[in-house]
């Protein structure tokens, strides 16, 4: 994959704001510093284009509030259904 | 959350504190059940009392929230009457090892097919931070303001000695390993015990200067090592993670069926 392609955010981070309690685990352990806590203390993906898709934020979220969506996989799945 | 089909969304956000490890256990459990591809209607979760026990309210399985320490006894009744069900019994360290200690060792001795998950946060969190049988010597709690003088149990050794046929330990930091071990424990045809070191930043962390949730997770990374790993050999004091026991012995429900057939002269 070319670098330019990865920089157009291949993944989307769906964060359930009402469920997030702002513990900061996703922020602390993200190897690419994709997340930060916003002014309300909720997790927010500020650099989604840097995400490498390890899903550690999703797996370690104690609030079950994060889902990493692989756009290309989602597109492929969409095409399969057409 | 990919495993939304397996939760009761109406009860979210859950009641656990920010950064509580029990949420990570729930997260991994849902993934493990999803990966096994089993029908959620065939799962029963039976819990006792405590922060850990609240997990049974969040899963969309059959569930029972029972008496403190007695979850394994209720679960035994369910499993004996409907052996086709997968029975999961999440317990806290106090629930499993203190008030439920006797049920725990005897369920292990019988080798009844169910999955006991000991969510070990080393404290009675819900009641205000009293020390538990897994707090360990020298830790602080509301009932040990000058330091705890009780020595802790080793859950893995206790479960192994009591006869559990699957015994494993991991932590909430090792989230993938956690989901893998939960899956293996559910699939095991006998009594399986999985101890999960699960951080309690509010009650244990604060009193023991263990830091916030990310710091406590970091301590699981640095303070544990896989069985027989180089890291463990070089640092013998590290807590071991991995599968300690995995063997097959006659399972209680199947043995019970055999006795019934024999008594009927079949």
């Amino acid at each position: 994959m070319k670098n330019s392609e990865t920089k157009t955010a291949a993944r989307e981070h769906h964060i359930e704001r009402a469920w997030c309690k702002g513990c900061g685990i996703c922020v602390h352990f993200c190897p690419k510093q994709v997340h930060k806590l916003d002014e309300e203390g909720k997790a927010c993906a500020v650099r989604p284009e840097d995400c490498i898709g390890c899903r550690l934020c999703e797996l370690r979220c104690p609030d079950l509030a994060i889902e990493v969506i692989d756009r290309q996989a989602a597109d492929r799945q969409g095409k399969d259904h057409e | 959350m990919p495993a939304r089909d397996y939760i009761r969304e109406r009860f979210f956000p859950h009641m656990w504190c920010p950064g509580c490890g029990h949420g990570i256990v729930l997260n991994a459990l849902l993934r493990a059940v999803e990966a096994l591809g089993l029908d959620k209607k065939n799962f029963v979760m039976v819990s006792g009392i405590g922060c850990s026990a609240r997990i049974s309210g969040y899963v969309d399985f059959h569930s029972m929230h029972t008496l403190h320490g007695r979850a394994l006894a209720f679960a035994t009744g369910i499993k004996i009457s409907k052996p086709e069900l997968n029975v999961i019994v999440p317990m806290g360290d106090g629930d499993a090892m203190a008030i439920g200690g006797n049920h725990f060792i005897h369920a292990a001795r019988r080798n009844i097919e169910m999955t006991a998950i000991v969510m070990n946060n080393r404290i009675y969190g819900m009641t205000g931070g009293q020390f538990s049988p897994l707090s360990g010597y020298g830790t602080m709690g509301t009932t040990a303001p000058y330091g705890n003088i009780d020595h802790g149990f080793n859950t893995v050794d206790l479960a192994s000695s009591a006869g559990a046929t699957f015994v494993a330990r991991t932590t909430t930091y090792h989230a993938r390993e956690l989901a893998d071990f939960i899956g293996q424990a559910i699939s095991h045809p006998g009594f399986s015990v999985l101890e999960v070191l699960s951080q309690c930043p509010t009650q244990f962390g604060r009193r023991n200067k263990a830091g916030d949730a990310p710091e406590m997770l970091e301590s699981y990374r640095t303070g544990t090592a896989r069985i027989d790993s180089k890291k463990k050999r070089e640092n013998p004091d590290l807590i071991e993670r991995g599968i300690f026991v995995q063997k097959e012995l006659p399972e209680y429900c199947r043995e019970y069926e055999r006795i019934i057939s024999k008594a009927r002269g079949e």
Side-chain angles (χ1 to χ4, degrees):
Chain A
M1 192 182 284
K2 277 185 233 158
N3 199 30
S4 59
E5 281 177 50
T6 56
K7 285 296 171 193
T8 54
R11 291 164 200 93
E12 189 183 332
H13 302 76
H14 176 75
I15 297 172
E16 199 75 51
R17 282 181 66 80
W19 295 11
C20 172
K21 297 194 181 103
C23 67
I25 289 175
C26 55
V27 178
H28 183 89
F29 288 104
C30 177
K32 294 290 176 186
Q33 289 83 46
V34 168
H35 302 287
K36 79 169 215 202
L37 297 183
D38 65 15
E39 63 283 355
E40 287 178 16
K42 305 275 187 182
C44 182
V46 287
R47 277 181 288 275
E49 65 281 4
D50 290 345
C51 175
I52 53 171
C54 67
R55 290 181 181 268
L56 285 172
C57 56
E58 184 181 300
L59 296 167
R60 290 207 188 103
C61 177
D63 298 323
L64 286 72
I66 304 180
E67 183 176 1
V68 182
I69 300 157
D70 190 328
R71 281 193 177 137
Q72 288 175 336
D75 285 351
R76 279 198 297 276
Q77 216 168 24
K79 276 177 194 149
D80 289 344
H81 287 296
E82 276 167 17
Chain B
M1 180 67 209
R4 275 184 187 249
D5 291 349
Y6 296 92
I7 57 173
R8 294 169 180 155
E9 270 193 61
R10 63 189 181 281
F11 296 134
F12 280 74
H14 57 55
M15 51 68 70
W16 290 312
C17 300
C20 174
H22 293 355
I24 307 180
V25 178
L26 172 62
N27 193 328
L29 177 97
L30 299 171
R31 289 165 200 282
V33 171
E34 190 177 50
L36 288 171
L38 299 170
D39 189 344
K40 65 181 176 183
K41 291 196 183 99
N42 293 330
F43 277 90
V44 190
M45 187 177 272
V46 188
S47 66
I49 296 296
C51 296
S52 60
R54 297 293 293 263
I55 194 171
S56 65
Y58 297 120
V59 290
D60 197 21
F61 307 151
H62 300 291
S63 61
M64 259 182 109
H65 197 167
T66 69
L67 303 177
H68 198 9
R70 274 65 173 139
L72 283 168
F74 284 88
T76 300
I78 293 168
K79 185 68 183 177
I80 282 280
S81 60
K82 291 203 174 290
E84 68 277 14
L85 295 174
N86 286 303
V87 181
I88 304 177
V89 187
M91 295 176 285
D93 42 311
D95 205 28
M97 295 292 144
I99 193 163
N102 219 337
H103 294 299
F104 182 81
I105 55 175
H106 290 285
R109 181 175 63 85
R110 287 193 191 107
N111 194 35
I112 185 161
E113 184 176 345
M114 55 178 71
T115 306
I117 303 175
V118 181
M119 298 151 79
N120 175 12
N121 59 9
R122 306 178 69 190
I123 200 95
Y124 285 93
M126 189 171 276
T127 48
Q130 295 82 2
F131 66 83
S132 86
L134 299 185
S135 291
Y137 182 82
T139 52
M140 308 298 272
T142 48
T143 45
Y146 303 106
N148 183 17
I149 56 169
D150 285 15
H151 297 278
F153 273 131
N154 181 327
T155 309
V156 165
D157 289 352
L158 183 68
S160 309
S161 309
T165 49
F166 181 99
V167 182
R169 182 195 284 129
T170 185
T171 83
T172 47
Y173 172 81
H174 303 89
R176 284 203 175 89
E177 185 177 90
L178 174 57
D180 174 34
F181 285 2
I182 293 174
Q184 290 197 52
I186 291 171
S187 308
H188 177 73
F191 190 75
S192 42
V193 176
L194 173 62
E195 181 187 18
V196 186
L197 306 187
S198 173
Q199 75 278 8
C200 172
T202 306
Q203 297 288 14
F204 187 86
R206 196 158 47 92
R207 287 196 176 78
N208 288 281
K209 298 190 169 39
D212 57 8
E215 272 180 82
M216 291 184 85
L217 281 183
E218 287 281 6
S219 75
Y220 292 153
R221 181 175 66 82
T222 54
T224 67
R226 285 293 292 231
I227 305 168
D228 293 331
S229 64
K230 186 164 170 266
K231 189 178 169 191
K232 174 68 184 173
R233 282 193 296 277
E234 288 170 357
N235 306 281
D237 292 338
L238 295 180
I239 297 168
E240 277 184 305
R241 301 189 331 270
I243 296 170
F244 298 82
V245 178
Q246 195 167 20
K247 61 184 179 188
E248 285 207 27
L249 284 177
E251 193 274 330
Y252 194 75
C253 295
R254 294 189 260 286
E255 288 295 290
Y256 200 73
E257 281 296 320
R258 190 174 61 78
I259 293 295
I260 291 171
S261 301
K262 203 170 175 180
R264 282 177 175 160
E266 287 166 5

